[in-house]
Amino acid sequence: MGVRLVVVDDHRLLAEALAAALTLRGHRVLAIGSPARAVAESVVGRRPEVCLLGVAGAGAPDAFEPLRRLRRERPEIAVVVLGPVGEPGRVAAAFAAGAAGYVRSDERIEVVERAIARVRAGEAAVAVEVLQGAFERVLRPVPEPDDDSLRLLRALTLREVQVLLRISEGQDTTAIAAGMGIAPSTARTHVQRVLMKLGARTRLEATALAVRTGLLARITRP
């Protein structure tokens, strides 16, 4: 017997493809929505039994706020989250927000369908490999140093690191372009990206931040 569904995803094409596949398997897709934050609006005036919610940015602090809202307003709808499983905190956050199931976003349609059947029956649905991956990360966590300079360094590309070094030396856009053998417009773009990633408004502020956090001390001039 088919299930009444609503499919919502940050990527519209993925939502439509999943909806089409489920329709072919005998389910009734009542609505397709995008982005994920529009999930509450997607069920207005409809009576789905299950909502499939694909969240591309599942690691963001407010990624599951739309899910919380849906659970407050329509608690009778069982929600299966489709998302990444690289971090166990994401899976836990989804269930904490009210999800009834969590399936890897690149999983086979058969697995998604089994999850739909389980949550419709009032059971929790989470793949064994998802739990295994979560427990593996919890039991053997990868140490992440609480280091602002390392965090900032990881945010910059190699080109941007080179630009930051030249900014710290007081070079203007023309000098940066000449020294790196790139067009002034390209140099200007790199400078803007460096400022944006460092959260700085000016070159002087970016330099001060790089010095204060120890970022410059980590960088050796190529």
Side-chain angles (χ1 to χ4, degrees):
M1 182 177 176
V3 179
R4 298 191 307 275
L5 300 164
V6 167
V7 182
V8 183
D9 198 291
D10 281 331
H11 301 292
R12 178 81 187 188
L13 287 177
L14 293 181
E16 292 178 349
L18 181 56
L22 290 168
T23 298
L24 289 174
R25 299 175 80 89
H27 300 288
R28 184 181 175 191
V29 178
L30 304 178
I32 301 171
S34 186
R37 64 176 178 270
V39 61
E41 289 73 17
S42 299
V43 302
V44 172
R46 301 180 176 92
R47 297 180 57 202
E49 298 169 276
V50 177
C51 172
L52 297 180
L53 178 62
V55 184
D62 61 346
F64 296 113
E65 183 53 38
L67 170 56
R68 294 187 188 93
R69 178 188 169 191
L70 179 62
R71 294 296 296 156
R72 288 194 301 267
E73 298 178 0
R74 300 288 298 275
E76 74 278 9
I77 301 174
V79 180
V80 177
V81 171
L82 308 175
V85 297
E87 297 179 16
R90 294 178 178 179
V91 180
F95 281 99
Y102 196 107
V103 177
R104 210 173 60 197
S105 54
D106 60 349
E107 192 54 272
R108 303 186 312 277
I109 189 66
E110 292 85 0
V111 177
V112 176
E113 196 170 29
R114 284 199 296 270
I116 291 172
R118 293 196 64 175
V119 300
R120 184 197 194 192
E123 303 174 7
V126 58
V128 173
E129 58 268 24
V130 172
L131 287 178
Q132 289 175 335
F135 280 119
E136 182 70 20
R137 291 294 298 272
V138 170
L139 296 173
R140 298 178 178 82
V142 177
E144 287 289 341
D146 184 13
D147 188 323
D148 284 342
S149 65
L150 185 57
R151 175 179 58 80
L152 293 173
L153 183 59
R154 286 174 174 171
L156 300 174
T157 65
L158 177 59
R159 276 292 200 185
E160 290 163 355
V161 168
Q162 295 169 352
V163 168
L164 177 58
L165 280 170
R166 293 178 182 277
I167 289 174
S168 68
E169 293 170 354
Q171 294 186 18
D172 60 15
T173 302
T174 302
I176 292 174
M180 296 180 65
I182 57 179
S185 59
T186 302
R188 191 175 303 108
T189 297
H190 285 315
V191 170
Q192 291 171 346
R193 286 178 178 168
V194 168
L195 297 182
M196 179 187 68
K197 289 183 177 182
L198 297 186
R201 292 168 295 180
T202 65
R203 299 182 185 209
L204 182 60
E205 188 176 331
T207 300
L209 177 65
V211 172
R212 185 174 69 251
T213 60
L215 175 58
L216 283 182
R218 284 185 174 272
I219 302 171
T220 56
R221 177 158 188 144

